[in-house]
Amino acid sequence: MSPSSLPPLVAVLVVALLAVGWQFVHRPIQRRFAIRNAGRRPTETVLLIVGSLLGTAIITGSFIVGDTLDSSIRVTAKTQLGPVDETVTVPDPAQAQTIAQKVQALRDPRIDGVLPLSAVPASFSSSASGARRAEPGAQAIELDFAAARAFGNDPASTGIAGPTPAPGHVVLGADLAQTLAAKRGDHVTLFLYGKKERLTVDRILPRIGLAGLWFGVETSSPNGFVAPGTIARVTSGGIPKGAAPPDSTVVVSNRGGVEDGASLTQGVTQVLRRAIADPTVRVDDVKRKRLDNAKASGDSFRTLFVGIGEFAVLAGILLLINIFVMLSEERKKQLGMLRAVGTSRANLIRGFTMEGALYAIVAGAAGAILGIGVGWAIVKLAAPIFAGFGDFSLALSFAFQISSVVGGFCIGVLICLIAVFFTSVRISRINIIRAIRDLPEPKVERVRTRTLVLGLLLTAVSLLWFGASVGDASAWAGMLLGPPLAAFGLLPLLTRTIKRRPAVLVVSGFSLLWGIFGDAILGSKMFENGNISTFVAQGVLLTFSAVVFLSQIQENLAGLLHRVAAKGLSLRLGMAYPLARRFRTGLTLGMYSLVLFTMVFISVLATVFGGQIDTTTTKAAGGYDMFVTASASNPPSAGQLAAVKGVGKVTVIDKSTALFQPKGLAQPAPWFASGIDRSFVRVGTPVLAKRAPGLHSAKEVWDRLLKDPKAMVIDGFFLQTGGGPAAASVKPGDSLSVIDPITGRRTQRTIIGVVDTDASNFGVYMSKKSLHQAVSRATPSLFYLTVDPGQDPSALGARLQGRFFRQGVQASTFRSQVEKFAALNLQFLRLMQGYLALGLLVGIAGLGVVMVRAVRERRHAVGVLRSLGFQSRQVRMAFLLESAFIAIEGILVGTVLAIITSKQLVATGQFGKGIVFTIPWVQIGVLVAIAFVASLIATVWPAEQASRIAPAVALRIAD
């Protein structure tokens, strides 16, 4: 949780607690009742607190997941940048020293380090381990080690130790040494621009600061530090055609620590640009971008887990309401007596609110502490997933901020207090005579004029909201919730026209159908730009509507059950209570249904996505079988690859990294860019998910791309590794800036299509002409290949890597990449299911608490039954059947709605075209069985307690 948002939250909670505290001080009678009731039955109080604290634990855990991701990405600022805050990229290596001198001459007190260096993509190999191992994606760096240690104000943060390597020697970074299995004294081979040099390893440096220097999007830093002059000697005969030239960079350090220095970036960047005054030289605030990326990624995952956790939190709120409604029923006579002797409704509300505040504070504190453990467990389960992305892997390191724990506590307590207050208002509306005599409240059919007016007002506002939202893909809330709210607003009017029961059936049925089919009716606009909040809102709408609808047909269900169980006294008794208490039964059903809806929905999605490997491979590959990447400084030619036995057609693709800045994005973000020509399209193209207006076929899109140098096609995850929501919302027809990372020159491009799947990190598609106009350094280092019939693509890839390891070749089949990412996505969905299991725990715990309260509330009724001849086992069975009945209804509602909703979403193409819908019956069966059995187990103890109630004790007037 952001520390800046904590003070207002704390202030609101303090005001609320002060209001309750004032009541504690000035209302001694209500205070005594609250404390007495809270401590009267310790076991039940503990159960109530346990049911209440889980919501706080889930919220706190979600905040901590965001803190961990934020912290883990921020660590890369230390490991891959260290004291480096800004970079000055120089096209001509001869300029680097001159620019460094200019910056040093500024003598700006905000700058405490200036250092020129050269780097170039290279390949390293070694046989020191007994087997040849290679790293094709490394970089060779020339750096003055003495000057590097003096860079900034902390030599330890640079990671540099020892003297500068001499000719014939190399200092390896830890990542490169690990890949090569090399240690001090071993020999490694450097392949650069078609030449090779045998080098002796002097030492290994940790991935810290300059020793781990890496400006790309990868999280590993395979660095090899070579002697100054090595790159110039290798390139003395010229750079091979198509190879990327060396990068010359001047790095700048700001005063302060690794992260603190970024606060000075804006002023330092302006000074640097004025001092250099060269439009071909680019100044980049790399540190601040890295930290901003960390914050954006942390916020994104925090929002995701909080959103998913909202289902469990809502279940917890329903549990709170249910518990206090049951408390009021249990104390109905007591409340009636209090009202009879002059206690006002306001004092009843105060008493219940005080008691609820005691529960809320204890549950909030315990939940916040438990939330730390929840966050830790999620991080441990998520760590292998984030570590499975190869060069883009991220090592998650558990971390949390105190603000997240305090924020979780505040939100949890506030939710409890609000739920308790509004429930107290409801239960204070009792009829004194009926309460004393313990008679049920009469059904009120008459609708008040005030209620009718408010309902019509709600209908009018909802319809206006819906009308303003239609056509605006970002206004999903109005399209999703507007019609159902308008329908419920008409309920008072319908009740005056027809009976209440059919009116409620019509309204809730319409709301349910709209939640399922509304998106299709509106032409798939409702979820076009939706997010996790859209999913939460739809789940709540569907569950609420289904529970309300089901509550109105319970009487029909009761009649059916009575006919079936005419001789089953335990079954009739077990059904009677939940059918008679429709409101409380609905609350419990809501708890179960919400959580089961989400868990089954994710199970279905996991199965659907896991079964699309063949389809996804075809979409990504087009007409190709595999792809090959190579070192930008020494790529092989198409002819060399085609000469390998088994290789069919070879298409050469120019590859680069550019900076992209859509409208709404404050800072440009890096992304891969690739240039294609007619030969690529001739073999086959990847499937498009979207096209720009006016382009009616995929062929038109690709023809336009090749002819129009201003056109580009993006992948479905464009800029979503840190660009933030503004970057992720770009669509066909939008224009954006493309920035050359070397010179900083800007060009404009228009998006004309979106590729459905990108398995090769292709990135943005442009024509080769367009790519070379946008960036100054693009190399033919990506190749798409077809494989001759009868050849094994995996075996062919291994032969290619062995033969062209000097060129840094890495070969992969499209299928293997799709399978890899499918496995990671499946793991993530399983993680979501595990997280949602906390919500299921809320539902199970809630059912257990409800049954405990039900036993207490019905002691007198149980005593009467026992005195009439009911045996203990019949009472026990009645309570178990009651729990089973509620659990089965909740399971059916959540499961059926999840299957219907997921089928509708798949059919509308929200998850891609051509996806086959599959229901994982076995997984759903296991999930349902676990939920059902756990519910019965939670009811065993209160059922046993009910069976042991002695008639003589239960029939006493005193409690």
Side-chain angles (χ1 to χ4, degrees), residues 271-302:
V271 169
L272 293 176
R273 287 172 179 156
R274 285 197 301 266
I276 297 169
D278 187 342
T280 66
V281 174
R282 179 171 169 269
V283 179
D284 192 11
D285 51 347
V286 291
K287 178 69 68 59
R288 188 173 66 178
K289 286 179 179 176
R290 185 73 62 97
L291 298 177
D292 289 346
N293 179 27
K295 183 179 184 303
S297 299
D299 289 345
S300 175
F301 272 82
R302 187 180 294 112

Side-chain angles (χ1 to χ4, degrees), residues 57 92-93 227 320 322 407 450 480 492 521 561 701 729 807 891 919 939:
D92 183 3
L320 279 173
N322 207 348
R450 181 179 61 184
L480 176 64
I521 294 173
L561 289 174
V701 173
S729 63
Q807 285 81 21
I891 287 170
I919 300 176
T939 316

Side-chain angles (χ1 to χ4, degrees), residues 81 166 180 391 464 580 588:
L81 294 176
L180 301 180
D391 291 339
L464 289 173
T588 309

